[in-house]
Amino acid sequence: MSESYDVIVNGASIAGCTAAVLYARRGARVALLERRSDMSAYKVLCTHYIQACGYPALAELGVTEELEAAGAVPNSARYWTRWGWIRPERDPRQRSLPYGYNVRRQTLDPILRRLAQGTPGVDLFLGHTVDGVLTEDDKVVGVTASASGERREFRARLVVGADGKDSAIGKFAGAAAKTVDNERFSYFAHFKGLPRPAGDMTLSWFREPDVAYAMPNDGDITLVACIPSKAKLPQFKADLEGSYRAFVKSLPEAPDLDQGELVGKIVGTVNYPLIVREPVGPGWALIGDAALTSDPLWGVGCGWALQSAQWLVASTAAAAQGSGDLDRSLAAYRSRRSKLKGYQFLISDYASSRPFNPVEKLMFSAAARDPKMAQHFHSFGSRLIGTGAFLSPSSIAKATLVNLRHRLRPASELHANGA
């Protein structure tokens, strides 16, 4: 049995549901395939932080009010460094600047999946595992999928892989991939009722090379993550909970985990490589983690999943319905994705678990000492500006001047300000 569509999307998580809904709203018939059978399924290994760069896609989907009604926290952050706290001057209750959300995937994923299921033009197929692609003249024209022991064929002008870092579409389509080892591992846990001394701010600690986060989420849940160098892995394996709690306790101005209730288990991963795949080919495209699996340390996965889905649909919706050249449209999507190359280069380099390099020392220290540099740092961390703007000659000059002025301040003044 074969069924025909304009677009096939494999994976009904953030990227896949976003793409399916936006394609259908532009008139396409979409088959949305998901290997899991539960509408409420969600990604467990996620820190639930949606960078501000993902907000435009959420707004286009029309889910921001529903997310906030479900308790999603408009995010903002402070960052601890050896030079002190970086404190971008922004009240999270003010909406004048772009923001994202802290929201648990068990809240977010079902909202997006229900939206996709209820969107005219989207057929959601739960419990369908893609086990191959259909090709004609070296072009992907569909997929085969198994469900309840039966194998079905789905055909379309465009096949989209939104199926994560182990992408089946990427594998079966033969997408070229480059992998970079991640020399850190991560563990995190959820705590209910944990006091939030900084309000709803996300707190980040950069301890060179170790990193930690405390992220306030919906449901009065705070996610606390530790991301140490792999040199500490034997210690964690010997006593996970003891090592986790000791690591958190060692943080400057650490959250007191004893004041919250541990919800569920401490979970994480000891091997999470960074993967960059060719995002397009004849008749196929990849979005989200399927195209680019980044280091979870930086919390970019959800935001980039939303962005890449929006970029793909904007580039290919007409061609996927037979109006326009699909190959040219896919090339346009590839071009849009090139915006992420600079970020990924810096992220991959830092995944070696090294201390800060000279440029990072310059920018982090200046951000800890100057409010405008702090906001500049936060804009880059939220992926609202690119690497070119972040490390522009004028920005480097400003950071240098901030640090020079700091060094020239009287010692008594530095001491009084805790510098």
Side-chain angles (χ1 to χ4, degrees):
M1 180 175 63
S2 179
E3 300 178 56
S4 296
Y5 290 86
D6 297 313
V7 181
I8 296 166
V9 179
N10 187 40
S13 191
I14 294 177
C17 289
T18 300
V21 170
L22 297 184
Y23 272 124
R25 288 181 181 173
R26 288 164 171 80
R29 290 192 64 241
V30 183
L32 178 58
L33 279 58
E34 169 57 47
R35 60 180 178 80
R36 296 169 296 186
S37 300
D38 184 2
M39 277 289 292
S40 299
Y42 63 93
K43 184 177 180 179
V44 174
L45 291 177
C46 183
T47 54
H48 319 321
Y49 193 94
I50 304 175
Q51 297 281 8
C53 63
Y55 184 88
L58 292 174
E60 185 176 357
L61 290 171
V63 297
T64 56
E65 290 187 5
E66 185 175 0
L67 286 174
E68 293 186 18
V73 179
N75 56 29
S76 55
R78 291 178 180 172
Y79 314 84
W80 185 90
T81 73
R82 59 171 128 146
W83 303 278
W85 285 96
I86 298 173
R87 304 174 186 268
E89 294 183 351
R90 177 181 178 277
D91 185 336
R93 294 168 297 181
Q94 294 177 351
R95 304 304 174 84
S96 58
L97 295 175
Y99 60 93
Y101 289 105
N102 292 17
V103 58
R104 290 175 295 167
R105 294 294 293 272
Q106 69 188 78
T107 301
L108 173 65
D109 288 16
I111 287 175
L112 296 181
R113 201 168 291 122
R114 289 194 300 269
L115 175 65
Q117 184 185 47
T119 298
V122 177
D123 290 340
L124 175 61
F125 296 91
L126 297 176
H128 282 64
T129 300
V130 169
D131 52 20
V133 296
L134 304 172
T135 60
E136 294 178 2
D137 299 325
D138 296 323
K139 180 179 180 180
V140 172
V141 295
V143 302
T144 57
S146 298
S148 302
E150 296 184 5
R151 201 158 184 260
R152 304 170 66 176
E153 288 188 357
F154 297 84
R155 291 179 172 267
R157 293 185 181 90
L158 177 61
V159 173
V160 178
D163 42 3
K165 69 181 183 68
D166 299 316
S167 174
I169 299 301
K171 173 186 175 182
F172 294 128
K178 178 182 179 181
T179 300
V180 174
D181 290 336
N182 191 338
E183 294 303 324
R184 294 183 182 85
F185 65 98
S186 62
Y187 282 104
F188 61 84
H190 298 91
F191 292 85
K192 188 173 183 64
L194 194 67
R196 299 174 178 178
D200 284 335
M201 289 275 185
T202 289
L203 302 180
S204 308
W205 290 265
F206 286 87
R207 303 196 72 185
E208 300 180 69
D210 301 339
V211 181
Y213 294 96
M215 299 178 174
N217 278 285
D218 55 294
D220 194 25
I221 295 292
T222 299
L223 180 147
V224 182
C226 54
I227 312 173
S229 164
K230 281 188 176 178
K232 292 184 172 67
L233 185 55
Q235 169 188 339
F236 272 73
K237 284 187 173 181
D239 178 11
L240 175 56
E241 183 165 357
S243 297
Y244 170 86
R245 288 182 176 272
F247 183 96
V248 174
K249 190 174 182 178
S250 72
L251 301 172
E253 302 179 41
D256 184 355
L257 300 185
D258 291 336
Q259 294 189 45
E261 174 192 353
L262 176 63
V263 178
K265 299 179 180 180
I266 299 172
V267 298
T269 177
V270 299
N271 186 31
Y272 202 90
L274 287 67
I275 305 171
V276 179
R277 290 188 178 91
E278 170 58 41
V280 300
W284 59 268
L286 304 178
I287 55 178
D289 280 356
L292 195 162
T293 302
S294 197
D295 189 343
L297 184 157
W298 299 100
V300 294
C302 294
W304 285 358
L306 290 161
Q307 273 192 309
S308 60
Q310 194 177 39
W311 289 339
L312 178 65
V313 174
S315 300
T316 64
Q321 297 175 74
S323 299
D325 186 295
L326 182 59
D327 291 337
R328 184 174 298 175
S329 298
L330 289 171
Y333 166 62
R334 182 200 282 119
S335 178
R336 291 190 182 201
R337 283 199 57 86
S338 65
K339 298 177 183 179
L340 305 182
K341 287 182 178 180
Y343 298 124
Q344 186 69 356
F345 173 80
L346 297 179
I347 289 172
S348 297
D349 186 56
Y350 195 63
S352 63
S353 189
R354 57 166 175 76
F356 289 149
N357 62 32
V359 174
E360 289 162 346
K361 290 177 183 178
L362 173 68
M363 301 306 286
F364 274 75
S365 60
R369 293 164 175 162
D370 180 79
K372 290 183 179 179
M373 290 304 300
Q375 186 56 51
H376 183 67
F377 175 89
H378 186 60
S379 294
F380 178 70
S382 301
R383 312 306 161 188
L384 295 172
I385 61 174
T387 53
F390 180 60
L391 298 175
S392 67
S394 62
S395 297
I396 295 293
K398 289 177 184 176
T400 302
L401 182 60
V402 165
N403 287 338
L404 179 61
R405 286 174 174 168
H406 175 82
R407 293 189 185 98
L408 295 176
R409 292 166 66 187
S412 59
E413 183 180 346
L414 293 175
H415 180 75
N417 292 329

